[in-house]
Amino acid sequence: MISVEAIINAPIEKVWELWTLPEHIINWNNASPDWHTPFVENNLTEGSKFKFTMAVKDGSDGFDFEGIYTKIDKFSLLEYKLYDNRTASVHFENQDNQVKITETFEPTAIESADMEEKFCTAIIQNFKSYVENFKR
């Protein structure tokens, strides 16, 4: 399993909302400025589907990150199974006015575990920056 984490300087309600709502996911779900997420479907109920289309902005590469939620504890936990049968989870730990996010997932057989860890770390750091700079 691969595990990455970040401490977000924001209340749990804000962190949860920005992590789960499609109109926010499209703004932070990328590992570098040349990638983006042009499509997000996120039905946040157990047994329901999510799908994030991630692509290079020039159209040269892309993929769908999709699966089914297997367990949801609001403000605490998201567990899911990806369409290639790998499992993953995201834990949200409320720490006063900060939230520790820990994302754990099975690596693919295609990419190196090191590359996958770096990719996921970049995304979670992008999320941290998005949340901490987000103004309503």
Side-chain angles (χ1 to χ4, degrees), residues 5 7 13 46 48-49 51 57 59 63-64 88 94-96 116-117 122-124 126 129:
E5 63 183 46
I7 303 291
E13 297 83 5
E46 288 182 18
S48 293
K49 177 182 174 181
K51 179 179 177 179
K57 289 179 179 176
F63 63 94
D64 289 330
N94 194 14
Q95 302 175 337
D96 296 320
E116 288 185 72
E117 182 175 350
I123 291 173
I124 209 166
N126 199 37
S129 177

Side-chain angles (χ1 to χ4, degrees), residues 18-96:
L18 299 183
W19 184 272
T20 60
L21 292 178
E23 61 265 30
H24 294 292
I25 296 168
I26 63 170
N27 294 312
W28 60 261
N29 190 49
N30 59 71
S32 63
D34 56 328
W35 281 75
H36 67 148
T37 302
F39 175 81
V40 174
E41 173 187 348
N42 195 32
N43 186 347
L44 197 63
T45 55
E46 288 182 18
S48 293
K49 177 182 174 181
F50 66 87
K51 179 179 177 179
F52 308 160
T53 299
M54 302 172 74
V56 178
K57 289 179 179 176
D58 70 7
S60 63
D61 196 10
F63 63 94
D64 289 330
F65 180 76
E66 59 186 317
I68 301 290
Y69 287 111
T70 57
K71 184 173 183 179
I72 298 172
D73 290 332
K74 189 173 183 179
F75 303 137
S76 178
L77 175 68
L78 297 171
E79 290 183 350
Y80 52 92
K81 186 172 188 175
L82 298 167
Y83 278 114
D84 62 4
N85 288 318
R86 293 180 299 128
T87 59
S89 64
V90 183
H91 292 264
F92 300 80
E93 184 180 336
N94 194 14
Q95 302 175 337
D96 296 320

